[in-house]
Amino acid sequence: MVEFAQTACLGGGVIGASWAALFLASGRSVSVFDPAPTAEKAVRDYVEMAWPTLTELGLTTYGNPEAISFCDSAAAAVEGADFVQENVPERVAIKHATFAEIEPALKPHAIVASSASGLTLSQMQVGWDNPARFVLGHPFNPPHLIPLVEVMGNDRTDASAVEEAERFYEAVGKVTIRVSKEKPGHVANRLQAAIWREAISLVIEGVASVEDVDKAVWAGPGLRWAAMGPTMLFNLGAGEGGLQAFCDHFTDTFNGWWDDLGRIHLNDEVVQTLVAGVSDAAQGQTAAELSAKRDALILAMQKVTTGLRDAS
Ligand SMILES: NC(=O)c1ccc[n+]([C@@H]2O[C@H](COP(=O)([O-])OP(=O)(O)OC[C@H]3O[C@@H](n4cnc5c(N)ncnc54)[C@H](O)[C@@H]3O)[C@@H](O)[C@H]2O)c1
């Protein structure tokens, strides 16, 4: 019997359906609550669509796509669940109402994790009488394909709940990081925001086109970042001397670049420049064609990196 054998997904939209597919693939059952009349079909279709990808990644050995049920209420969905992933819309009132409804129905040791991207843990804890086993479990879209989950508790959270949530996510094939302090955007979205800000600034300053700035990421450091993070890579960037030698050498350079980085804000003019640039870069390919290309590339990279991670 697997640990956390019974799971629940509250909300079966973009994120909830993908989580459901991953949990099913790992050999767990999933009960779903989503009030949209079309939700059951959409989630079932999503699971069917994601299954071949999960199989290619070697994640469906114990899985059963039929181990999914749909409930009439959030409280009914969490009954009996060991792990509950909350993916309702990013509106604080809906989150609070959901937590207030499910709290009395939870098993005593169930863990509830929120996928919330923008709301903080402490904002969401307001919906609870006792949020000791409620954590942040923030994925990247789509959660069945992108490994990262940002996990966070705070002083109102049982430390064991955070550890158990990490263990659960790792058991279903995820890579977790621990967020130790509340920050809007957690960690990874802030990193995305930082690089996108400079990417836009370079375009607006006329340094390079949208297409070339994007290319500079995916054909350059982006490929290395998929292997290791920036600090470890720079540790390897000065040979035997490691990060100390790298910093001795490049401190003035980096401080100079940081002082010069753009401080852009999105406005209509900036958006129109980016929209025109991305349209040029697409060279007539539709969004569906580009999405299929992106997914095929991510799957190919994931197959290799998952294999290498498992072997190391
Ligand atoms: N989309 C992303 O890229 C992304 C990435 C990471 C995290 N998230 C977070 O995941 C959460 C869900 O986002 P999404 O993109 O899946 O949104 P979505 O709009 O695609 O899905 C939300 C689903 O919740 C359902 N719903 C509405 N009210 C509900 C209720 N009371 N109980 C249960 N379900 C209800 C809706 O019918 C819908 O199917 C948000 O907190 C969001 O911040 C989103």
Side-chain angles (χ1 to χ4, degrees):
M1 179 75 141
V2 291
E3 219 185 353
F4 308 105
Q6 229 173 305
T7 72
C9 283
L10 305 178
V14 171
I15 295 300
S18 174
W19 273 129
L22 183 74
F23 297 169
L24 290 168
S26 75
R28 291 164 171 85
S29 68
V30 182
S31 46
V32 178
F33 170 64
D34 188 312
T38 50
E40 176 166 350
K41 180 171 179 348
V43 174
R44 286 192 189 278
D45 287 352
Y46 193 97
V47 171
E48 193 182 329
M49 180 278 295
W51 208 258
T53 300
L54 288 160
T55 302
E56 273 199 71
L57 288 172
L59 293 175
T60 53
T61 312
Y62 306 104
N64 171 12
E66 301 303 321
I68 188 163
S69 55
F70 292 82
C71 300
D72 290 340
S73 69
V78 305
E79 221 172 84
D82 308 298
F83 194 96
V84 177
Q85 186 77 39
E86 172 278 301
N87 324 279
V88 306
E90 184 82 3
R91 291 215 293 280
V92 75
I94 301 182
K95 304 267 189 205
H96 286 170
T98 298
F99 300 137
E101 179 188 336
I102 64 170
E103 189 170 4
L106 289 168
K107 270 168 93 168
H109 294 290
I111 292 184
V112 180
S114 175
S115 295
S117 302
L119 297 169
T120 61
L121 188 65
S122 50
Q123 279 174 306
M124 292 187 287
Q125 282 171 329
V126 173
W128 291 83
D129 277 338
N130 176 7
R133 295 186 65 78
F134 170 58
V135 301
L136 180 81
H138 176 247
F140 258 63
N141 189 26
H144 74 274
L145 195 52
I146 305 290
L148 180 68
V149 190
E150 298 175 312
V151 183
M152 182 182 174
N154 61 17
D155 55 1
R156 297 184 70 195
T157 319
D158 270 356
S160 64
V162 178
E163 285 158 17
E164 285 172 48
E166 288 170 338
R167 205 164 71 226
F168 168 78
Y169 287 128
E170 281 154 23
V172 299
K174 311 304 291 176
V175 173
T176 63
I177 68 158
R178 179 81 64 95
V179 181
S180 303
K181 190 173 178 179
E182 239 163 48
K183 274 274 183 197
H186 319 313
V187 172
N189 270 330
R190 293 180 73 88
L191 295 171
Q192 290 203 120
I195 187 144
W196 198 36
R197 180 164 78 177
E198 184 56 19
I200 295 170
S201 171
L202 289 166
V203 170
I204 298 301
E205 281 193 43
V207 177
S209 65
V210 168
E211 182 177 6
D212 278 352
V213 172
D214 270 5
K215 219 183 263 181
V217 176
W218 65 255
L223 201 55
R224 300 197 315 195
W225 291 331
M228 287 178 190
T231 309
M232 182 57 84
L233 285 166
F234 286 148
N235 182 46
L236 304 178
E240 286 302 303
L243 191 63
Q244 183 64 57
F246 185 87
C247 291
D248 292 346
H249 202 78
F250 291 113
T251 289
D252 289 345
T253 308
F254 272 89
N255 284 338
W257 288 342
W258 282 327
D259 289 345
D260 190 50
L261 287 179
R263 290 196 62 82
I264 202 86
H265 278 100
L266 285 176
N267 59 33
D268 284 350
E269 202 183 334
V270 171
V271 170
Q272 287 324 307
T273 303
L274 297 176
V275 168
V278 91
S279 165
D280 288 348
Q283 293 178 342
Q285 297 170 89
T286 64
E289 287 166 341
L290 287 164
S291 299
K293 185 171 166 183
R294 175 202 59 195
D295 293 348
L297 284 165
I298 293 174
L299 176 59
M301 290 188 276
Q302 266 302 97
K303 275 170 75 173
V304 174
T305 52
T306 305
L308 288 173
R309 260 202 316 270
D310 289 349
S312 69

